[in-house]
Amino acid sequence: MQNDNPIPEASLARPARVWVQRSLGSLMLALALGTLTAVGSILSKPAPQQVAVEPETELHMARVRSELAQARSDLADTRSKLYRANAIAQYSAAYDVPADLAGKIYDAALVEAINPSLGFQLVKVESGFQNQAKSNRGALGLTQILLPTAQAFQPGISEQDLLVPETNLRLGFRFLRRMLRQFDSDLEMALKAYNLGPTRAAMTLTDTTTAADGSDYAAAVMKGLKRVRLPRAGTGS
């Protein structure tokens, strides 16, 4: 049955909305006051005191940390020595040279920033690993370096000094490194320069009559560079 005096829906909705709004306002105010109270309570609490550590304990901890750092350093050193020993053994076997000579070539190459394989190939081609080798041009020792060239790196060095393996290797590899730098890391040109001298090597770039000069030498050194497969650095295996 239809109501004779219907009440508009808007009249019912308005008081409800007002009540909800007031209720929400009260709730938000309560939450805000509660939050402020909680924050104030936290801020009012004294900061926790740090636990005192006895001097003996601190000293012991410092000693443990120092011993751990030393152990790590010793382990890294041991790995490096194992890697070096493994590499030298492989080069010694590959080139059929004594381990002490292989060690000198390997170390000198690393000191002078030369790939050890390149160093071994250079010595093989130049002198056949004969420390006392002398050429008819006056080249001396393992790397067959000329005395004037060596004196440019070490003034006053004598011929006898240049026959000392460590000295000869160091200066010969240093000269090769300079040639690599001079010819922008072009290995073939650097080897030609080592064999012919930088001026004559540069001439081979433009003079067709000298283009073959030094090429056989460079090829002989380069062809064996990958003959030794070394372990990855630091693995010792």
Side-chain angles (χ1 to χ4, degrees), residues 165-180:
E166 292 86 349
T167 303
N168 189 280
L169 291 165
R170 173 171 53 85
L171 296 178
F173 291 164
R174 188 169 299 179
F175 177 50
L176 176 59
R177 177 159 55 92
R178 175 172 290 186
M179 294 302 96
L180 283 166

Side-chain angles (χ1 to χ4, degrees), residues 19-35:
W19 180 84
V20 171
Q21 290 172 355
R22 288 177 179 174
S23 298
L24 287 175
S26 299
L27 180 59
M28 292 177 65
L29 179 60
L31 289 173
L33 290 173
T35 301

